[in-house]
Amino acid sequence: MFHPVPYAWFSHHANTKKKIITEIMPNFRRQQRSVVKFLDLYEVNNRFDKNIRAAIDRVLSSGWYILGEECAAFESEFAAFSEVRECIGVANGLDALVLALRALNIGAGDEVLVPSNTFIATWLAVSQVGAIPVPIEPDPVTFNMDPARIRGALTARTRAIIPVHLYGQPADLDPICAFAASYGLKVIEDAAQAHGARYHGRRVGSDADLACWSFYPGKNLGALGDGGAVTTNDPALAARLRQLRNYGSSRKYHHEELGVNSRLDEIQAAILRVKLASLDADNERRRIIADMYTAGLADVPIGLPSMPDYAQSVWHLYVIRHPQRDVLAQRLADVGIATVIHYPLSPHLQPAYRPLAIPAGSLPIAEQLQAEVLSLPIGPTQRDDETKSVIQAVRDCVSSL
Ligand SMILES: *Cc1c(COP(=O)(O)O)cnc(C)c1O
């Protein structure tokens, strides 16, 4: 099945885009008027063209490319934005999670509770430190870790919980943090999809011991390459993380522990500073699109995202559910609407996780979601007429099923 997403994610220039499209999708010309991309990263970044080039120039002429003023400035600006004391820039979101676990001394033999339905990086980080990811099923309405299911997964080896704010919507942190506190567990928020989201009015990332962020280009705050960060209110953890990301060293050529090289480089930091200034406005634009979808699809027999009172989502993704998801996705593709599945195979069913031997059928909610979820196009540059085309196409395609 041809899926029209790759060109939207990976193209860098309109002409390249057109060439790729007409080569692999011969009837593109006929459909050209109605194509709605999933997320047009060229358009997203083109809005900042002048300021991004100025930021790169500034780094070029500074002669300082790693752990300099830009990274430090971004760290303090992102900490202020996220309403936390400390931000530590790292190389990517996966490293942020790995370093967070290491800073909390979680490793071999430990168990860490993770969502059964998340991007695999949440699990990979746990595996990378030698600990075991223990899946917790989601609340099928919010898609997020169900606090009521945590107790049943607890063992003598449980050390931490990693709630994920999936699709940009805050997980229900209060009961998770309260449970963790009463059992002496650590909490790490995987906020890679939720820059700027609020839980009970507070920014996500300020409740747990540590929060982890990704600045992968497609995230709500995206670099022009890889990037990540850990935030915390704990200065001692922050100091440990600064050391861990830089060869275990806080004084050049003196190494306190077995650190790694995982740093946010000056160019990406400078670019992120430009884009951070528009993040609230971009998230607001996503919210308007999500509200249009929710209003325009309210009477259609599909599952729509829930909006609990405690959560102010930043709509990284707008995810609908339908039992005939694959047919629906194909029909939408046929009329030029790009969709993506987040995610088609839960981590426990991935070949990489065969060694954990978690049998198929044992996590029924995650397995049902993987068969039914479909992400509609959304992004800060998506126009109202595009959103309306998507709504009309979903209405038409669903009624044709
Ligand atoms: C993107 C993502 C990550 C990993 O971030 P990278 O920067 O791609 O390494 C981790 N967790 C979740 C939930 C993500 O969406």
Side-chain angles (χ1 to χ4, degrees), residues 92-95 97 118-119 121-122 164 166 190 192-193 214-216 219 226-227 343:
N92 57 66
L94 174 58
D95 279 3
L97 288 161
T118 179
F119 179 56
T122 319
V164 177
L166 198 67
D190 182 339
Q193 303 187 355
S214 163
F215 308 120
Y216 177 78
K219 307 285 167 146
D226 278 314
Y343 298 90

Side-chain angles (χ1 to χ4, degrees), residues 15 18 27 41 49 71 96 113 127 130 135 150 175 180 194 199 257 267 294 354:
N15 290 336
K18 209 163 172 183
N27 57 355
L41 284 180
D49 185 272
C71 181
L113 309 185
S127 303
I150 292 176
Y199 175 74
E257 61 177 319
I267 287 185
T294 302
R354 237 176 254 140

Side-chain angles (χ1 to χ4, degrees), residues 77-85 165 168-171 173-174 177 189 191 194-208 210-211 213 220-221 231-233 276-284 310-314:
E77 287 160 15
F78 190 68
F81 175 88
S82 299
E83 300 170 6
V84 287
R85 287 173 66 177
H165 306 304
Q169 183 173 110
L173 290 171
D174 281 350
C177 291
E189 293 175 57
H195 320 74
R198 289 183 186 275
Y199 175 74
H200 285 304
R202 312 185 291 274
R203 296 280 196 194
V204 298
S206 48
D207 281 30
L210 296 163
W213 310 84
N220 287 36
L221 178 60
T231 55
T232 182
N233 282 313
L276 178 60
S278 300
L279 181 55
D280 274 331
D282 279 7
N283 284 342
E284 177 60 12
Y310 59 71
Q312 192 177 313
S313 175
V314 287

